[in-house]
Amino acid sequence: MADELVHLSVERGVATITLDSPHNRNALSAQLRRELRAHLTTAIDAPEVRVIVLDHTGTVFCSGMDLKESKGAGSSDQGVNEFPELLQLIWESPTPVVAKLAGPARAGGVGLIAAADIAVAAEGASFAFTEVRIGVVPAVISVTVLPRLLPRAAHELFLTGEKFDAARAAQIGLINSAVPADRLDDEVRRYTDMLALGAPQALAATKQMLRRHPVSMADDFAAMLELSAKHFAGAEGQEGIASFLQKRPASWVPQD
């Protein structure tokens, strides 16, 4: 469909799900979230699909939540309320998921990457947890991101919101490899070819083994969602969103 923001194609056992909303940097709008969830479900349920690849069009993989939809909404109406289900769908997918980044990821986009089993980025891609700079908390994505990151790096990058490159993302465990842009397709294919050699039930059982956690993901998401939605709808969050949309410093940024 021409008005689709997410597309699904299947070829030789590989389901490619492509974010195609470049006009807003593939932000997690209500439509994009809805279509991404639908296509993920279709791919996971298809017995012929052995690997799922998360791809994108445009120069940005995903810029995070659609802040235009977040502006003025109460905590119960924030789009972030639907995000745990999406991340959990990727994280708990019995079919391996590979994230492919030709460009930057921010905030919720980094949560998608962390939820995937394997992530590969072009060397020119960049990352940032920008939430604190707009008065919100990277709470929901922390459920998938923190198991990936070195603790010192997590504290530094969550608290500062500093941008970092693909080489550092690989160094701290966020992605598996950073390669030149002209080798990105080959690197993704290298992983999908290897994953296709695994027996489907054995892969699913191995994924289940790897994600063992003393606290259930559902409980963790419930607690982090409450924290996230509260700050999205709070005074700081709304001021931060307004300043972002108006391209001005937030009220708490020191002025000369």
Side-chain angles (χ1 to χ4, degrees):
M1 292 177 61
D3 58 351
E4 239 189 6
L5 298 183
V6 184
H7 312 302
L8 170 65
S9 63
V10 180
E11 184 176 354
R12 299 186 63 186
V14 177
T16 301
I17 297 176
T18 305
L19 308 184
D20 185 21
S21 184
H23 71 281
N24 66 352
R25 298 163 39 123
N26 288 320
L28 294 161
S29 63
Q31 181 182 346
L32 188 142
R33 294 194 307 271
R34 181 173 63 250
E35 293 177 5
L36 178 55
R37 182 171 59 249
H39 287 320
L40 280 167
T41 300
T42 297
I44 290 168
D45 290 343
E48 70 273 18
V49 171
R50 304 293 308 284
V51 185
I52 298 170
V53 174
L54 286 181
D55 200 353
H56 66 100
T57 64
T59 58
V60 177
F61 173 76
C62 177
S63 59
M65 299 306 298
D66 189 331
L67 296 182
K68 290 183 178 179
E69 294 182 350
S70 298
K71 189 175 187 300
S75 61
S76 61
D77 298 319
Q78 291 290 341
V80 72
N81 287 294
E82 300 174 2
F83 203 34
E85 179 188 1
L86 198 51
L87 293 177
Q88 195 166 352
L89 189 61
I90 297 170
W91 184 274
E92 296 185 348
S93 164
T95 306
V97 179
V98 178
K100 173 187 174 184
L101 292 84
R106 297 290 185 269
V110 187
L112 293 175
I113 296 162
D117 299 288
I118 292 171
V120 179
E123 290 174 341
S126 64
F127 307 81
F129 304 101
T130 52
E131 287 88 343
V132 293
R133 296 192 178 187
I134 60 167
V136 299
V137 177
V140 169
I141 67 168
S142 74
V143 179
T144 59
V145 171
L146 291 182
R148 307 295 192 196
L149 296 193
L150 295 174
R152 281 289 186 189
H155 280 247
E156 172 194 347
L157 297 169
F158 271 52
L159 292 172
T160 65
E162 182 183 24
K163 183 173 72 171
F164 55 102
D165 62 19
R168 185 159 193 218
Q171 181 185 48
I172 63 177
L174 180 61
I175 65 174
N176 295 82
S177 62
V179 298
D182 61 359
R183 285 186 47 215
L184 183 59
D185 288 340
D186 289 341
E187 183 72 346
V188 171
R189 192 176 304 110
R190 184 174 76 86
Y191 278 112
T192 58
D193 286 349
M194 287 190 293
L195 290 166
L197 296 175
Q201 292 183 18
L203 285 169
T206 301
K207 280 199 61 172
Q208 187 174 25
M209 176 193 69
L210 288 169
R211 64 176 181 257
R212 284 178 302 169
H213 197 278
V215 177
S216 77
M217 176 170 276
D219 289 343
D220 206 4
F221 270 133
M224 292 301 98
L225 177 56
E226 182 179 358
L227 177 62
S228 184
K230 174 183 175 183
H231 282 269
F232 261 100
E236 281 188 350
Q238 289 299 303
E239 161 61 11
I241 290 168
S243 68
F244 176 85
L245 295 174
Q246 295 166 16
K247 302 187 186 320
R248 61 170 175 80
S251 61
W252 58 77
V253 176
Q255 303 295 314
D256 294 332

